[in-house]
Amino acid sequence: MAPALIFDLDGTLIDSAPAIHKVSNDVLTGRGYAPLSLDQIRSFVGQGAPHLVRCLLTTAGEDPEGPLFDAIYADLVGRYETDVAGNTLYPGVITALQRLQAMGCPMAITTNKPYKPALAAIAHVGLSDYFQLVIGGDSLPTRKPNPEMVQEAQRLLGRDHALYIGDSEIDAQTAQNAGLPFLIYTEGYRKTPVEDLPHAAKFSDFNALPGIVEEWTWS
């Protein structure tokens, strides 16, 4: 039987850094702070909106846990749901997902991005029809690398076997914590050399993913 496939979103299926960069700088400059570079913002992505807000506040010279946090967080998440133009698919994603669907793989997205902004980004890039469910960073009490999000996705997809697909250090740790084989997309937001992260397989081209998954099909 084909395994369930559980995907990360940012840096795995979509390059969201340009959209997050714009939203973050709109929030900062709207309050009189200096804008940040794309590389700075990209380095903040992956651990959820609260982490992003803390990084923005720190770089602005403010207390990351101080009184500005709630206002910045609300502003950021509100903009996330409408300012989606900078989100783009990585090459080959749609073709790969179509092939994986044809193979009988049920699929889910688990992301530390808040749920409503995640749905908005997914709809913007045309992914909504490929996934049975989406679990966001505010859907459960925990975020990745805690395995709860991935384990809940596997339970809801109803398969005994699952693979986790992501791009980053957080994703590698999440897969390890969930006890799932990790397939790493090497063109995302990872900072650590691939060889230093535990993984079952790696790919730089989404056209290779269906063939990798076929090797993990259980009888």
Side-chain angles (χ1 to χ4, degrees):
M1 179 177 290
L5 303 179
I6 303 168
F7 288 81
D8 174 53
L9 181 61
D10 297 337
T12 300
L13 293 166
I14 65 172
D15 182 6
S16 58
I20 296 172
H21 180 234
K22 180 183 183 303
V23 167
S24 298
N25 277 343
D26 286 348
V27 169
L28 289 173
T29 59
R31 287 172 168 76
Y33 299 109
L36 303 178
S37 71
L38 178 59
D39 285 343
Q40 282 178 296
I41 296 297
R42 185 182 285 112
S43 73
F44 301 157
V45 174
Q47 298 185 52
H51 174 78
L52 173 60
V53 170
R54 292 185 188 102
C55 291
L56 296 179
L57 287 168
T58 298
T59 57
E62 300 289 352
D63 180 358
E65 306 291 346
L68 280 175
F69 179 90
D70 288 343
I72 297 285
Y73 180 88
D75 192 3
L76 184 85
V77 172
R79 292 172 186 265
Y80 253 165
E81 294 180 36
T82 55
D83 295 358
V84 295
N87 293 291
T88 58
L89 286 171
Y90 285 111
V93 167
I94 293 294
T95 300
L97 294 177
Q98 289 171 340
R99 290 175 60 191
L100 292 165
Q101 271 191 333
M103 289 163 55
C105 296
M107 294 185 283
I109 289 174
T110 57
T111 174
N112 281 341
K113 186 192 292 291
Y115 179 71
K116 288 184 178 179
L119 289 185
I122 290 163
H124 175 72
V125 298
L127 291 182
S128 302
D129 293 340
Y130 297 98
F131 295 94
Q132 281 90 326
L133 66 121
V134 175
I135 299 177
D138 52 358
S139 298
L140 298 172
T142 60
R143 295 181 180 87
K144 297 181 294 184
N146 187 293
E148 182 183 13
M149 188 185 297
V150 171
Q151 291 167 338
E152 178 68 0
Q154 182 178 0
R155 184 187 72 80
L156 291 171
L157 291 176
R159 292 288 166 93
D160 292 335
H161 300 289
L163 305 174
Y164 182 64
I165 299 140
D167 71 292
S168 70
E169 295 82 354
I170 292 292
D171 293 320
Q173 189 178 351
T174 300
Q176 197 166 40
N177 290 344
L180 296 180
F182 179 47
L183 312 184
I184 185 167
Y185 177 58
T186 61
E187 306 307 298
Y189 301 155
R190 168 184 50 82
K191 307 175 189 71
T192 304
V194 172
E195 294 72 21
D196 294 342
L197 295 177
H199 61 278
K202 63 182 179 180
F203 64 101
S204 60
D205 182 346
F206 264 88
N207 289 314
L209 182 58
I212 295 171
V213 171
E214 278 187 322
E215 298 176 6
W216 290 89
T217 297
W218 282 262
S219 58

